[in-house]
Short mmCIF file of all heavy atoms in Angstrom, two decimals:
data_model
loop_
_atom_site.label_atom_id
_atom_site.label_comp_id
_atom_site.label_asym_id
_atom_site.label_seq_id
_atom_site.Cartn_x
_atom_site.Cartn_y
_atom_site.Cartn_z
N PRO Y 287 128.73 94.89 114.12
CA PRO Y 287 127.37 94.65 113.56
C PRO Y 287 126.27 94.91 114.58
O PRO Y 287 125.22 95.45 114.25
CB PRO Y 287 127.42 93.17 113.17
CG PRO Y 287 128.85 92.91 112.91
CD PRO Y 287 129.63 93.79 113.87
N ASP Y 288 126.51 94.54 115.83
CA ASP Y 288 125.51 94.78 116.86
C ASP Y 288 125.25 96.26 117.07
O ASP Y 288 124.11 96.70 117.21
CB ASP Y 288 125.95 94.15 118.19
CG ASP Y 288 125.56 92.68 118.25
OD1 ASP Y 288 124.85 92.23 117.31
OD2 ASP Y 288 125.93 91.99 119.20
N GLN Y 289 126.32 97.04 117.07
CA GLN Y 289 126.17 98.49 117.24
C GLN Y 289 125.42 99.10 116.07
O GLN Y 289 124.61 100.00 116.24
CB GLN Y 289 127.55 99.14 117.37
CG GLN Y 289 128.14 99.01 118.78
CD GLN Y 289 129.55 99.57 118.84
OE1 GLN Y 289 130.34 99.37 117.92
NE2 GLN Y 289 129.85 100.27 119.90
N LEU Y 290 125.70 98.61 114.87
CA LEU Y 290 125.00 99.11 113.68
C LEU Y 290 123.51 98.83 113.77
O LEU Y 290 122.68 99.66 113.44
CB LEU Y 290 125.58 98.46 112.42
CG LEU Y 290 126.92 99.05 111.95
CD1 LEU Y 290 127.44 98.26 110.75
CD2 LEU Y 290 126.77 100.51 111.58
N LYS Y 291 123.20 97.61 114.23
CA LYS Y 291 121.78 97.24 114.37
C LYS Y 291 121.09 98.16 115.36
O LYS Y 291 119.99 98.63 115.15
CB LYS Y 291 121.69 95.78 114.86
CG LYS Y 291 121.23 94.82 113.77
CD LYS Y 291 121.01 93.44 114.35
CE LYS Y 291 122.07 92.46 113.89
NZ LYS Y 291 122.03 91.20 114.63
N GLU Y 292 121.78 98.42 116.47
CA GLU Y 292 121.25 99.30 117.51
C GLU Y 292 121.01 100.69 116.95
O GLU Y 292 119.98 101.32 117.17
CB GLU Y 292 122.26 99.36 118.66
CG GLU Y 292 121.65 99.78 119.99
CD GLU Y 292 120.58 98.81 120.45
OE1 GLU Y 292 120.82 97.57 120.39
OE2 GLU Y 292 119.52 99.27 120.86
N LEU Y 293 121.96 101.16 116.17
CA LEU Y 293 121.90 102.49 115.56
C LEU Y 293 120.72 102.58 114.59
O LEU Y 293 119.97 103.54 114.59
CB LEU Y 293 123.21 102.74 114.82
CG LEU Y 293 123.65 104.20 114.66
CD1 LEU Y 293 123.98 104.79 116.03
CD2 LEU Y 293 124.88 104.26 113.77
N ALA Y 294 120.55 101.53 113.78
CA ALA Y 294 119.46 101.51 112.81
C ALA Y 294 118.12 101.53 113.52
O ALA Y 294 117.20 102.24 113.12
CB ALA Y 294 119.55 100.27 111.93
N ARG Y 295 118.02 100.78 114.60
CA ARG Y 295 116.76 100.72 115.34
C ARG Y 295 116.45 102.08 115.96
O ARG Y 295 115.33 102.56 115.92
CB ARG Y 295 116.84 99.64 116.42
CG ARG Y 295 115.46 99.18 116.83
CD ARG Y 295 115.54 98.09 117.90
NE ARG Y 295 116.61 97.13 117.60
CZ ARG Y 295 117.30 96.50 118.55
NH1 ARG Y 295 117.04 96.72 119.81
NH2 ARG Y 295 118.22 95.63 118.23
N ALA Y 296 117.47 102.74 116.50
CA ALA Y 296 117.28 104.05 117.13
C ALA Y 296 116.79 105.06 116.10
O ALA Y 296 115.93 105.88 116.37
CB ALA Y 296 118.58 104.52 117.76
N THR Y 297 117.34 105.00 114.89
CA THR Y 297 116.94 105.92 113.83
C THR Y 297 115.48 105.72 113.47
O THR Y 297 114.72 106.66 113.34
CB THR Y 297 117.81 105.71 112.57
OG1 THR Y 297 119.17 105.72 112.96
CG2 THR Y 297 117.55 106.81 111.55
N VAL Y 298 115.07 104.45 113.33
CA VAL Y 298 113.68 104.15 112.99
C VAL Y 298 112.74 104.64 114.08
O VAL Y 298 111.69 105.18 113.81
CB VAL Y 298 113.50 102.62 112.78
CG1 VAL Y 298 112.02 102.27 112.71
CG2 VAL Y 298 114.20 102.18 111.50
N ASN Y 299 113.15 104.46 115.33
CA ASN Y 299 112.27 104.82 116.44
C ASN Y 299 112.13 106.32 116.64
O ASN Y 299 111.10 106.78 117.10
CB ASN Y 299 112.79 104.19 117.73
CG ASN Y 299 112.49 102.70 117.77
OD1 ASN Y 299 111.64 102.23 117.00
ND2 ASN Y 299 113.16 101.97 118.62
N THR Y 300 113.16 107.08 116.33
CA THR Y 300 113.10 108.51 116.63
C THR Y 300 112.49 109.32 115.50
O THR Y 300 111.91 110.35 115.73
CB THR Y 300 114.50 109.07 116.95
OG1 THR Y 300 115.39 108.67 115.92
CG2 THR Y 300 114.99 108.60 118.30
N ARG Y 301 112.61 108.84 114.27
CA ARG Y 301 112.10 109.61 113.15
C ARG Y 301 110.67 109.19 112.85
O ARG Y 301 110.38 108.00 112.78
CB ARG Y 301 112.99 109.37 111.92
CG ARG Y 301 112.74 110.42 110.85
CD ARG Y 301 113.77 110.31 109.76
NE ARG Y 301 114.12 108.91 109.50
CZ ARG Y 301 114.81 108.53 108.45
NH1 ARG Y 301 115.23 109.40 107.59
NH2 ARG Y 301 115.11 107.26 108.24
N PRO Y 302 109.72 110.12 112.68
CA PRO Y 302 108.38 109.73 112.27
C PRO Y 302 108.46 109.05 110.92
O PRO Y 302 109.10 109.56 110.01
CB PRO Y 302 107.60 111.04 112.20
CG PRO Y 302 108.61 112.14 112.30
CD PRO Y 302 109.89 111.57 112.81
N GLN Y 303 107.83 107.92 110.83
CA GLN Y 303 107.95 107.11 109.63
C GLN Y 303 107.26 107.79 108.45
O GLN Y 303 106.11 108.20 108.55
CB GLN Y 303 107.32 105.74 109.89
CG GLN Y 303 108.02 104.63 109.17
CD GLN Y 303 107.35 103.30 109.41
OE1 GLN Y 303 106.77 103.08 110.46
NE2 GLN Y 303 107.40 102.43 108.45
N GLU Y 304 107.97 107.91 107.35
CA GLU Y 304 107.36 108.45 106.15
C GLU Y 304 106.79 107.30 105.33
O GLU Y 304 107.47 106.35 105.02
CB GLU Y 304 108.42 109.18 105.31
CG GLU Y 304 109.05 110.36 106.02
CD GLU Y 304 108.13 111.59 106.04
OE1 GLU Y 304 107.20 111.64 105.21
OE2 GLU Y 304 108.36 112.47 106.87
N ILE Y 305 105.51 107.40 104.98
CA ILE Y 305 104.92 106.37 104.13
C ILE Y 305 104.46 107.02 102.84
O ILE Y 305 104.18 108.22 102.80
CB ILE Y 305 103.74 105.64 104.83
CG1 ILE Y 305 102.67 106.65 105.27
CG2 ILE Y 305 104.24 104.83 106.00
CD1 ILE Y 305 101.42 105.97 105.82
N ASP Y 306 104.39 106.25 101.77
CA ASP Y 306 103.92 106.82 100.52
C ASP Y 306 102.41 106.62 100.39
O ASP Y 306 101.76 106.02 101.23
CB ASP Y 306 104.68 106.24 99.31
CG ASP Y 306 104.49 104.74 99.17
OD1 ASP Y 306 103.51 104.20 99.72
OD2 ASP Y 306 105.32 104.10 98.50
N CYS Y 307 101.84 107.19 99.33
CA CYS Y 307 100.38 107.21 99.19
C CYS Y 307 99.79 105.80 99.10
O CYS Y 307 98.71 105.56 99.61
CB CYS Y 307 100.00 108.02 97.95
SG CYS Y 307 100.50 109.75 98.09
N ASP Y 308 100.52 104.87 98.47
CA ASP Y 308 100.01 103.50 98.37
C ASP Y 308 99.93 102.85 99.75
O ASP Y 308 98.93 102.24 100.11
CB ASP Y 308 100.92 102.66 97.47
CG ASP Y 308 100.65 102.94 96.00
OD1 ASP Y 308 99.61 103.56 95.70
OD2 ASP Y 308 101.47 102.54 95.16
N ALA Y 309 101.00 103.03 100.52
CA ALA Y 309 101.02 102.46 101.88
C ALA Y 309 99.94 103.11 102.73
O ALA Y 309 99.29 102.45 103.54
CB ALA Y 309 102.40 102.67 102.50
N TRP Y 310 99.76 104.40 102.52
CA TRP Y 310 98.74 105.13 103.28
C TRP Y 310 97.35 104.58 102.99
O TRP Y 310 96.54 104.32 103.88
CB TRP Y 310 98.81 106.61 102.90
CG TRP Y 310 97.82 107.46 103.64
CD1 TRP Y 310 97.98 107.98 104.88
CD2 TRP Y 310 96.52 107.87 103.18
NE1 TRP Y 310 96.85 108.70 105.22
CE2 TRP Y 310 95.95 108.64 104.20
CE3 TRP Y 310 95.82 107.65 102.00
CZ2 TRP Y 310 94.68 109.20 104.07
CZ3 TRP Y 310 94.56 108.20 101.88
CH2 TRP Y 310 94.00 108.97 102.90
N LEU Y 311 97.08 104.39 101.68
CA LEU Y 311 95.77 103.91 101.25
C LEU Y 311 95.46 102.53 101.81
O LEU Y 311 94.32 102.22 102.15
CB LEU Y 311 95.72 103.89 99.72
CG LEU Y 311 94.34 103.94 99.09
CD1 LEU Y 311 93.61 105.22 99.48
CD2 LEU Y 311 94.47 103.87 97.57
N LYS Y 312 96.51 101.70 101.94
CA LYS Y 312 96.31 100.35 102.44
C LYS Y 312 95.95 100.35 103.91
O LYS Y 312 95.34 99.41 104.43
CB LYS Y 312 97.58 99.51 102.24
CG LYS Y 312 97.67 98.94 100.84
CD LYS Y 312 98.95 98.16 100.67
CE LYS Y 312 99.19 97.90 99.19
NZ LYS Y 312 100.62 97.78 98.89
N ARG Y 313 96.35 101.39 104.63
CA ARG Y 313 96.16 101.38 106.08
C ARG Y 313 95.12 102.39 106.55
O ARG Y 313 94.81 102.46 107.73
CB ARG Y 313 97.50 101.67 106.75
CG ARG Y 313 98.51 100.58 106.43
CD ARG Y 313 99.86 100.93 106.94
NE ARG Y 313 99.82 101.22 108.38
CZ ARG Y 313 100.79 101.83 109.03
NH1 ARG Y 313 101.84 102.21 108.40
NH2 ARG Y 313 100.70 102.05 110.31
N VAL Y 314 94.55 103.17 105.61
CA VAL Y 314 93.67 104.26 106.02
C VAL Y 314 92.36 103.75 106.63
O VAL Y 314 91.74 104.43 107.43
CB VAL Y 314 93.40 105.22 104.84
CG1 VAL Y 314 92.52 104.57 103.80
CG2 VAL Y 314 92.81 106.53 105.32
N ALA Y 315 91.96 102.54 106.27
CA ALA Y 315 90.70 102.00 106.80
C ALA Y 315 90.74 101.94 108.33
O ALA Y 315 89.77 102.33 109.00
CB ALA Y 315 90.44 100.62 106.22
N GLY Y 316 91.85 101.47 108.87
CA GLY Y 316 92.01 101.42 110.32
C GLY Y 316 91.97 102.80 110.94
O GLY Y 316 91.38 103.00 112.01
N TYR Y 317 92.58 103.74 110.24
CA TYR Y 317 92.61 105.12 110.74
C TYR Y 317 91.21 105.73 110.73
O TYR Y 317 90.80 106.41 111.67
CB TYR Y 317 93.57 105.93 109.88
CG TYR Y 317 93.72 107.37 110.30
CD1 TYR Y 317 94.37 107.70 111.49
CD2 TYR Y 317 93.21 108.41 109.52
CE1 TYR Y 317 94.50 109.02 111.89
CE2 TYR Y 317 93.34 109.73 109.91
CZ TYR Y 317 93.99 110.03 111.10
OH TYR Y 317 94.11 111.34 111.49
N LEU Y 318 90.46 105.48 109.66
CA LEU Y 318 89.09 105.97 109.54
C LEU Y 318 88.25 105.48 110.72
O LEU Y 318 87.48 106.24 111.31
CB LEU Y 318 88.47 105.41 108.25
CG LEU Y 318 88.47 106.31 107.01
CD1 LEU Y 318 87.88 105.56 105.84
CD2 LEU Y 318 87.71 107.59 107.27
N GLU Y 319 88.41 104.19 111.03
CA GLU Y 319 87.64 103.59 112.11
C GLU Y 319 87.92 104.31 113.42
O GLU Y 319 87.02 104.61 114.20
CB GLU Y 319 88.04 102.12 112.22
CG GLU Y 319 86.90 101.23 112.65
CD GLU Y 319 87.33 99.78 112.62
OE1 GLU Y 319 87.67 99.30 111.51
OE2 GLU Y 319 87.35 99.15 113.68
#
Side-chain angles (χ1 to χ4, degrees):
D288 275 354
Q289 280 176 319
L290 282 176
K291 253 187 251 169
E292 202 61 45
L293 207 66
R295 202 179 319 148
T297 310
V298 168
N299 284 343
T300 50
R301 196 170 37 168
Q303 214 182 329
E304 298 284 340
I305 56 173
D306 62 20
C307 297
D308 281 346
W310 181 84
L311 203 60
K312 277 179 195 151
R313 297 173 55 195
V314 71
Y317 181 70
L318 263 177
E319 213 175 298

